[in-house]
Amino acid sequence: MKNIPELQTLQLITLERQGLVQTAPFGSGKEAVLTALKHLGYIQIDTLSVVERAHHHTLWTRIPDFQTDYLEELVEERKIFEYWFHAASYLPMQDFRYALPQMLHIKQSESHYYNADKKVMEYVVDTIRAEGPKMARDFESKKDKTGSWWNWKPAKLALERLFMQGDLMISGRSGMQKTYDLTERVLPSSINTTEPTPLELAEYLTKTALQAYGFTTLKQITHLRKGDLLKKNVNLILQSLLENGEIQKISIEGLPAIFIQHDLLEKRSDTTGSAVRLLSPFDNSIIHRDRVKQIFDFDFRLECYVPKEKRQYGYFCLPILFGNTFMGRVDCKAHRKDKRLELIHLHIENTNITPELWLPSFTDAVKRFTSFNGCESLLLTKVSPSKLKNTILKALLKQ
């Protein structure tokens, strides 16, 4: 049996470190975006647009006055860059060198997923060098009547390979259309481009996780990263931090060993307040499924990749966080043409909390989310348990 008081303490710590306790923990405006990114380590990019895209949603949750242009502006200002963390992400430009090991690995690999034609890659680089930054669609016009090898599809694959191996960087975006340029023309001259040693990379990953979450586990640090050497080095870093008194190790029955920043157990806040937050399925706080299940007893899985007949909750559910409790999830869709946000199926899973406690804040959160998605009206289609629908509907429709 898990020790409930200890779990509650960990919940409060990690929500505070994730920026989900205060109203504007990272400040306001574009500077807050950079501050948040440096603190969290990364923001995952996603192409799904059922509601506002994940990278915008995650930042809006923590920065009330967030504007979607901020990320593109920071890329153009060379303060952040796009690359792979555990998935496609925005990263602080100051951390560029820690992407080098993966870039070099891909560059030296002959059997990688991005198996682009070398002649096409040379052509793409030469074209960008001579003509300037390019989008994938810019290569459509290069196709001649015979369907030469530099037509759109091979060129797009070459762009992706050149990006993943570090020869090109994304210098800007127009929505989800990426503009590529030579890395030498994008990367600021002040940025350290020394490849980190395996131990330095392990230290970066460990300290990034500790900073963003307050505590971590070996599995979380190495999430979706392969290799026994990395695990060995992360263990070495954790041992060093333990010996230096920077972290402490705690045990909770049924959970893996937890490493927590020193003094956080004593300094943590006693409450998360009573705010309701509708989180993106790709939010940093929810992305590690095992961790969320272990610490919050909330089993979350994004079902858009699951066949329709096997979905339990819906295509694109948003976790609903009330204080330090994940009380349910809601399957949403923004009907942008009609400017209407639809709550397709609202699942209230923790029915031990009376609606009077969470409903006012939930109503406010939904109305703010409606506006964030550029919608003016709201439709509540289904609620589970169904007996709550009328109560929730009245609250949502109340002006």
Side-chain angles (χ1 to χ4, degrees):
M1 190 67 164
K2 297 173 185 177
N3 188 313
I4 300 303
E6 287 189 55
L7 277 182
Q8 290 175 346
T9 299
L10 293 181
Q11 291 166 3
L12 297 170
I13 287 171
T14 200
L15 290 174
E16 189 277 329
R17 297 310 296 264
Q18 275 288 296
L20 296 175
V21 174
Q22 297 173 307
T23 302
F26 302 110
S28 61
K30 188 165 60 176
E31 274 303 308
V33 175
L34 186 57
T35 301
L37 197 53
K38 288 179 178 179
H39 178 81
L40 297 172
Y42 76 97
I43 295 291
Q44 184 169 334
I45 301 169
D46 197 73
T47 59
L48 295 173
S49 58
V50 181
V51 293
E52 184 58 70
R53 299 188 193 278
H55 39 291
H56 295 149
H57 186 173
T58 298
L59 288 164
W60 171 81
T61 299
R62 296 160 173 82
I63 304 168
D65 65 347
F66 174 77
Q67 301 293 319
T68 57
D69 291 342
Y70 288 161
L71 282 170
E72 292 172 17
E73 291 173 9
L74 288 168
V75 169
E76 292 171 358
E77 293 167 8
R78 310 302 187 234
K79 293 180 180 178
I80 66 176
F81 73 105
E82 293 187 35
Y83 196 64
W84 206 260
F85 195 67
H86 69 268
S89 301
Y90 287 106
L91 299 155
M93 188 66 80
Q94 66 186 30
D95 293 346
F96 178 82
R97 68 185 293 247
Y98 297 106
L100 287 172
Q102 185 167 353
M103 291 177 179
L104 294 173
H105 171 74
I106 293 171
K107 193 165 191 173
Q108 295 161 5
S109 172
E110 293 294 331
S111 59
H112 192 265
Y113 172 77
Y114 298 100
N115 191 23
D117 187 292
K118 290 184 178 180
K119 289 184 178 180
V120 182
M121 290 168 65
E122 289 174 5
Y123 171 79
V124 167
V125 169
D126 289 344
T127 301
I128 291 176
R129 189 180 300 280
E131 301 179 12
K134 296 288 183 184
M135 294 182 179
R137 67 187 183 192
D138 293 327
F139 288 90
E140 291 178 7
S141 61
K142 302 296 183 183
K143 181 178 179 180
D144 64 19
K145 293 180 181 179
T146 61
S148 297
W149 46 258
W150 58 78
N151 67 39
W152 184 76
K153 286 185 179 179
K156 188 176 189 300
L157 188 61
L159 284 167
E160 287 297 320
R161 171 79 188 229
L162 289 162
F163 165 70
M164 289 300 293
Q165 68 182 35
D167 292 317
L168 298 180
M169 291 181 72
I170 294 170
S171 59
R173 272 183 181 266
S174 176
M176 294 306 292
Q177 292 289 325
K178 297 174 283 190
T179 300
Y180 298 87
D181 200 356
L182 303 177
T183 294
E184 63 201 57
R185 296 201 295 227
V186 177
L187 193 64
S189 59
S190 60
I191 296 299
N192 185 351
T193 55
T194 305
E195 183 185 3
T197 65
L199 197 62
E200 285 176 325
L201 178 61
E203 182 179 26
Y204 162 73
L205 293 173
T206 302
K207 290 187 174 180
T208 297
L210 285 167
Q211 175 179 270
Y213 296 95
F215 63 87
T216 190
T217 64
L218 175 63
K219 184 176 182 179
Q220 185 178 342
I221 297 168
T222 58
H223 180 61
L224 297 182
R225 293 175 183 269
K226 299 177 181 179
D228 292 334
L229 178 60
L230 177 60
K231 291 182 179 179
K232 177 183 176 182
N233 284 328
V234 168
N235 273 321
L236 288 173
I237 295 298
L238 289 170
Q239 188 58 41
S240 175
L241 294 174
L242 283 169
E243 291 173 358
N244 293 338
E246 295 181 50
I247 63 173
Q248 52 185 310
K249 183 178 179 179
I250 61 174
S251 298
I252 297 179
E253 187 178 348
L255 298 187
I258 292 172
F259 301 91
I260 186 167
Q261 288 184 317
H262 186 64
D263 291 341
L264 274 187
L265 287 172
E266 290 76 23
K267 293 180 179 179
R268 58 93 179 170
S269 172
D270 289 328
T271 179
T272 58
S274 57
V276 167
R277 299 178 188 271
L278 305 179
L279 301 180
S280 166
F282 298 99
D283 193 282
N284 298 50
S285 66
I286 200 79
I287 203 66
H288 301 280
R289 185 180 179 186
D290 289 348
R291 178 181 174 279
V292 174
K293 174 64 176 172
Q294 292 164 352
I295 303 301
F296 293 93
D297 195 24
F298 183 63
D299 191 4
F300 181 77
R301 180 187 186 190
L302 181 59
E303 295 183 325
C304 62
Y305 307 114
V306 176
K308 185 175 182 179
E309 63 275 9
K310 294 184 178 180
R311 290 176 198 150
Q312 183 179 358
Y313 295 104
Y315 180 82
F316 201 77
C317 278
L318 313 183
I320 303 171
L321 178 66
F322 173 57
N324 64 324
T325 301
F326 284 95
M327 55 174 283
R329 64 200 87 195
V330 57
D331 188 26
C332 292
K333 181 176 176 61
H335 300 276
R336 294 180 177 87
K337 185 178 179 180
D338 301 325
K339 293 189 175 181
R340 183 179 73 249
L341 180 71
E342 181 181 5
L343 307 185
I344 300 169
H345 195 164
L346 171 60
H347 304 266
I348 303 300
E349 297 161 56
N350 190 328
T351 54
N352 294 324
I353 308 173
T354 59
E356 288 78 11
L357 294 176
W358 56 262
L359 196 49
S361 184
F362 174 78
T363 300
D364 180 64
V366 169
K367 289 183 176 179
R368 288 185 61 246
F369 191 66
T370 300
S371 298
F372 176 59
N373 278 274
C375 296
E376 297 174 355
S377 63
L378 185 65
L379 175 64
L380 178 62
T381 304
K382 186 177 181 180
V383 177
S384 293
S386 57
K387 64 181 181 180
L388 294 175
K389 182 174 181 178
N390 286 338
T391 301
I392 294 171
L393 189 58
K394 287 179 182 177
L396 290 174
L397 294 178
K398 187 177 181 181
Q399 298 297 324

